[in-house]
């Protein structure tokens, strides 16, 4: 998923083990490979896709779909850590992950990720439907291969294009519940897609040294902080009205319209502060505030959509 990956679960580093010695990885190490914080966001947005889809879905089918989507997201995280172990080892944000810390070997992570990937897609296809399974398979492929193996080390637009991987879960959930793809699920996809660049570039502004050391062509490293700030503002200007569109198109209630409008105004204000504050501690504080609020912003949007679907008479207004 995209990077949303900035919220990865870190563990205390251990001493690397010699090749051929038995693994001493704990359960927590394998949980960390799944990127549980990223997984939680995937589950939440996929759940919104399921409950917003037309028609009724059996609770067992919904649970099965969510479980498969969660496992598929975890598989993507494990494959990402397997491929990026060299980068993770030199970045302060990631050097305590299980592979660079020596608690899990790259081969173990690869086998773990591939097993989960294949299993989640097969179970989703057999027990739910083929369209949802195909979308999940494409999501895993896009994140693990297109983003991780290609875009991340090749272009400063890695987050823009790669952000599609993190935007697919609502569509997978929608397909699992309805067997199709609706306009609302496409809007949910676009909201996450346009949310990802300002969210992650805010982090990259104050972590640019990490990316420079690792040789990752993140936008602040390649184009500089000023261009990054401009891009953050431009994407936020696109994101805010897009996030309000479900209300204007009649797909969400007045409650969503109010929350998306107020939170969007604050998101835009924080993006303006990032654009204007360019030096020293005020610049870093502005970037950190935008990064932190962006997570809350996306959560609020999807939480209201979820509440309106579950309690439409009470919250849809």
């Amino acid at each position: 998923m995209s990077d949303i990956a900035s919220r990865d679960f870190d563990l205390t580093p251990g001493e690397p083990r010699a090749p051929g010695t038995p693994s001493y990885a704990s359960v927590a190490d394998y949980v960390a490979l799944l990127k549980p914080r990223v997984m939680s966001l995937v589950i939440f947005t996929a759940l919104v896709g399921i409950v917003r889809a037309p028609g009724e879905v059996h609770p067992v089918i919904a649970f099965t779909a969510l479980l498969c989507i969660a496992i598929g997201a975890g598989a993507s995280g494990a494959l990402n850590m397997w491929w990026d172990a060299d980068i993770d080892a030199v970045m302060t944000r990631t050097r305590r992950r299980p592979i660079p810390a020596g608690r899990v070997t790259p081969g173990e992570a690869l086998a773990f990720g591939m097993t989960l990937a294949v299993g989640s897609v097969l179970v989703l296809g057999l027990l739910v439907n083929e369209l949802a399974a195909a979308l999940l398979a494409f999501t895993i492929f896009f994140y693990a291969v297109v983003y991780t193996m290609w875009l991340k080390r090749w272009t400063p637009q890695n987050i823009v294009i790669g952000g599609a991987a993190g935007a697919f879960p609502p569509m997978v959930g929608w397909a699992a519940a309805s067997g199709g793809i609706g306009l609302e699920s496409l809007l949910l996809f676009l909201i996450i897609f346009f949310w990802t660049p300002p969210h992650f570039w805010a982090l990259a502004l104050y972590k640019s040294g990490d990316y420079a050391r690792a040789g990752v062509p993140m936008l602040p490293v390649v184009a500089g902080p000023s261009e990054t700030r401009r891009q953050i503002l431009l994407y936020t200007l696109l994101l805010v009205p897009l996030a309000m569109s479900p209300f204007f198109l009649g797909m969400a209630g007045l409650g969503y319209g109010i929350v998306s409008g107020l939170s969007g105004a604050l998101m835009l204000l924080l993006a303006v502060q990032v654009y204007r504050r360019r030096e020293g501690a005020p610049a870093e504080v502005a970037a950190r505030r935008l990064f932190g609020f962006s997570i809350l912003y996306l959560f609020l949007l999807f939480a209201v959509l979820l509440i309106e679907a579950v309690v439409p008479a009470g919250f849809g207004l």
Side-chain angles (χ1 to χ4, degrees):
M1 346 246 128
S2 88
D3 288 279
I4 299 179
S6 50
R7 306 290 297 170
D8 287 346
F9 183 80
D10 283 329
L11 297 173
T12 303
E15 292 297 326
R17 70 181 191 267
T21 59
S23 171
Y24 57 84
S26 66
V27 172
D29 290 322
Y30 281 96
V31 170
L33 286 177
L34 301 176
K35 296 190 175 181
R37 293 185 182 181
V38 176
M39 183 191 290
S40 64
L41 183 59
V42 167
I43 295 171
F44 182 56
T45 57
L47 175 62
V48 173
I50 290 174
V51 300
R52 299 288 305 191
E56 297 290 332
V57 58
H58 194 282
V60 174
I61 296 298
F63 175 78
T64 302
L66 277 178
L67 181 61
C68 290
I69 294 168
I71 293 173
S76 299
L79 294 172
N80 171 268
M81 288 196 193
W82 160 68
W83 187 262
D84 278 351
D86 58 331
I87 292 176
D88 289 345
V90 299
M91 295 179 63
T92 57
R93 183 174 63 85
T94 57
R95 63 189 180 190
R96 294 183 295 169
R97 287 175 173 174
I99 300 175
R103 300 187 302 275
V104 176
T105 68
E108 291 167 345
L110 174 60
F112 183 57
M114 288 300 298
T115 300
L116 294 181
V118 173
S120 63
V121 171
L122 286 178
V123 172
L124 189 61
L126 291 172
L127 299 185
V128 182
N129 64 62
E130 292 84 358
L131 177 60
L135 286 172
L136 180 60
F138 181 75
T139 302
I140 296 170
F141 172 81
F142 198 92
Y143 185 74
V145 178
V146 177
Y147 169 70
T148 300
M149 298 183 183
W150 177 37
L151 295 173
K152 185 172 183 178
R153 305 187 190 216
W154 177 67
T155 172
Q157 295 299 309
N158 46 24
I159 291 303
V160 178
I161 306 170
F168 274 115
M171 294 183 68
V172 181
W174 186 286
S178 69
I181 298 174
L183 176 59
E184 188 174 342
S185 74
L186 290 173
L187 281 176
L188 297 181
F189 169 91
L190 290 173
I191 289 170
I192 301 175
F193 182 81
F194 281 93
W195 167 86
T196 302
H199 162 72
F200 200 83
W201 282 336
L203 172 76
L205 276 174
Y206 62 88
K207 291 289 187 180
S208 59
D210 259 0
Y211 293 110
R213 283 192 300 273
V216 178
M218 203 58 66
L219 191 63
V221 177
V222 175
S226 294
E227 177 61 18
T228 304
R229 290 184 171 90
R230 188 179 76 88
Q231 292 288 334
I232 286 174
L233 182 57
L234 289 175
Y235 271 94
T236 305
L237 287 169
L238 293 172
L239 169 66
V240 171
L242 178 64
M244 296 182 68
S245 64
F247 167 67
F248 291 117
L249 293 174
M251 297 177 179
L254 181 58
Y256 179 84
I258 293 171
V259 171
S260 63
L262 293 176
S263 60
L266 183 52
M267 181 80 177
L268 185 56
L269 175 62
L270 293 173
V272 170
Q273 290 179 352
V274 168
Y275 180 77
R276 297 179 62 184
R277 298 175 184 176
R278 298 173 173 247
E279 300 291 339
E284 180 173 335
V285 168
R288 288 181 179 273
R289 284 177 177 170
L290 176 60
F291 172 73
F293 179 75
S294 66
I295 299 169
L296 176 62
Y297 175 64
L298 189 68
F299 171 78
L300 287 173
L301 295 178
F302 278 78
V304 177
L305 288 172
L306 179 63
I307 293 171
E308 286 187 348
V310 176
V311 196
F315 202 77
L317 302 179

